[in-house]
């Protein structure tokens, strides 16, 4: 990713307002952390879909875009396109591509009562490995067809099951998400850095700020515009880490993920 997100941009403004001091990192941060769902307070990710003349407007809170339902490819986020073909009043065929290469395809179906959306996806990685997944979303409030607001039936579907934090030297952290290979190397000094890994998207950055030796706050941006914020706190005994996250557009969707340290 080649984003030049300067400290004067919005993606660091909120961090700058919280404190002017940068604290040294406590080494208790470093290690492997596993999500403890029983101790967490998670919510299902939500999406709002609006019918437009040639298709649909999709608003995920973090990003939004328009896609026609004619089977043609439409740009969504950098490097990525989506095609959506209407097969019937309750069924659509969808294809995602990155740099022109298909990364997944699948079907979207609505149940006869118009209250549940079922998404079946077949994804292929760069090594040709196939992964099949099924997702169920329930309608929130009123709506017809795809149009309306939907929430994932699985709470915390967008929360990582595992986080690995390593000392990258020079006061930096290598913050890794092993499940999808994404990571970033960052100093807790409010300077934005890009995500790295096989699913990285240009123009997406994160800025981190150490509020105290045991608390860090961060802001994720798309093209310099904040879309997700979070707070990570170490437990007093260093055996747990709590990450609170929320969408800038949907602060009510705040969730708290508790991670336990794995001992080797």
């Amino acid at each position: 990713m080649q984003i030049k997100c300067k400290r004067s941009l919005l993606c660091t403004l909120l961090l700058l307002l919280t404190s002017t001091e940068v604290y040294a990192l406590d080494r208790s941060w470093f290690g492997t952390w596993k999500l403890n769902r029983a101790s967490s307070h998670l919510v299902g990710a939500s999406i709002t879909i609006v019918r437009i003349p040639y298709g649909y407007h999709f608003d995920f809170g973090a990003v939004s875009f328009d896609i026609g339902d004619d089977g043609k490819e439409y740009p969504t986020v950098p490097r990525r396109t989506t095609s959506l073909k209407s097969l019937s009043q309750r069924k659509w065929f969808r294809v995602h591509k990155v740099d022109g290469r298909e990364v997944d395809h699948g079907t979207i179906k609505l149940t006869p009562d118009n209250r549940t959306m079922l998404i079946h996806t077949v994804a292929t990685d760069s090594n040709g490995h196939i992964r099949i997944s099924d997702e169920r979303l329930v309608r929130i409030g009123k709506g017809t067809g795809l149009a309306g607001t939907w929430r994932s039936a699985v709470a915390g579907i967008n929360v990582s099951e595992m986080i690995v934090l390593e000392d990258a030297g020079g006061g930096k952290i290598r913050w890794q998400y092993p499940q999808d290979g994404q990571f970033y190397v960052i100093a807790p000094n409010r300077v934005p850095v890009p995500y790295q890994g096989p699913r990285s998207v240009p123009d997406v950055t994160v800025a981190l700020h150490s509020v105290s030796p045991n608390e860090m706050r961060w802001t994720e941006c798309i093209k310099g515009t904040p879309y997700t914020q979070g707070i990570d706190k170490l437990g007093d005994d260093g055996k747990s880490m709590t990450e609170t996250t929320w969408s800038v557009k949907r602060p009510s969707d705040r969730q708290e993920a508790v991670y336990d340290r794995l001992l080797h």
Side-chain angles (χ1 to χ4, degrees):
M1 292 183 295
Q2 300 294 325
I3 185 167
K4 303 297 188 293
C5 187
K6 298 181 179 179
R7 293 178 63 175
S8 60
L9 291 176
L10 286 173
C11 61
T12 57
L13 177 60
L14 295 175
L15 292 174
L16 287 169
L17 291 174
T18 59
S19 175
T20 58
E21 187 172 0
V22 175
Y23 290 83
L25 288 174
D26 189 310
R27 295 196 64 82
S28 298
W29 286 101
F30 303 132
T32 300
W33 303 89
K34 181 176 176 57
L35 179 66
N36 184 333
R37 287 188 172 271
S39 300
S40 300
H41 301 282
L42 307 175
V43 298
S46 60
I47 173 179
T48 298
I49 305 174
V50 179
R51 185 68 163 136
I52 58 176
Y54 62 92
Y56 297 92
H57 174 77
F58 292 81
D59 185 350
F60 291 86
V63 294
S64 60
F65 41 75
D66 297 338
I67 300 175
D69 58 358
D70 51 9
K72 297 179 181 179
E73 295 180 16
Y74 290 83
T76 52
V77 297
R79 296 173 50 200
R80 189 179 180 112
T81 62
T82 299
S83 64
L84 186 70
K85 177 66 174 178
S86 177
L87 302 179
S88 69
Q89 289 186 334
R90 295 191 292 109
K91 186 176 181 179
W92 297 260
F93 181 74
R94 182 188 66 184
V95 178
H96 287 137
K97 291 184 179 181
V98 174
D99 292 334
R101 182 183 69 86
E102 180 180 318
V103 292
D104 68 58
H105 67 268
T107 55
I108 301 173
K109 296 180 182 179
L110 299 184
T111 54
D113 63 3
N114 200 40
R115 302 296 302 174
T116 304
M117 181 191 302
L118 304 173
I119 303 177
H120 178 74
T121 302
V122 179
T124 306
D125 64 21
S126 57
N127 296 318
H129 299 142
I130 295 176
R131 185 181 74 255
I132 297 175
S133 62
D134 290 281
E135 184 178 0
R136 182 168 64 92
L137 294 86
V138 294
R139 187 184 297 278
I140 302 173
K142 298 180 180 180
T144 302
L146 277 184
T149 298
W150 301 86
R151 185 179 297 279
S152 174
V154 179
I157 194 171
N158 56 342
V159 173
S160 179
E161 293 288 335
M162 197 85 72
I163 298 176
V164 178
L165 304 181
E166 295 179 340
D167 186 352
K172 295 182 178 181
I173 305 172
R174 182 181 172 91
W175 201 300
Q176 305 170 75
Y177 301 95
Q179 287 181 301
D180 60 9
Q182 298 299 99
F183 70 94
Y184 51 91
V185 178
I186 191 168
N189 59 2
R190 312 183 190 93
V191 177
V193 300
Y195 276 98
Q196 301 180 57
R199 297 178 58 196
S200 298
V201 177
D203 298 339
V204 178
T205 61
V206 60
L208 185 69
H209 174 211
S210 57
V211 178
S212 75
N214 296 321
E215 180 178 340
M216 292 188 285
R217 301 186 181 190
W218 48 267
T219 299
E220 289 180 324
C221 298
I222 295 180
K223 294 184 178 180
T225 300
Y227 71 92
T228 304
Q229 292 183 275
I231 300 173
D232 285 82
K233 292 183 179 181
L234 277 178
D236 293 337
D237 58 4
K239 295 181 180 179
S240 65
M241 177 176 69
T242 301
E243 182 173 85
T244 304
T245 57
W246 62 93
S247 166
V248 172
K249 287 186 177 181
R250 296 172 180 165
S252 61
D253 283 355
R254 180 176 299 233
Q255 59 186 354
E256 185 177 274
V258 177
Y259 291 85
D260 295 329
R261 181 188 297 278
L262 294 185
L263 300 178
H264 299 287

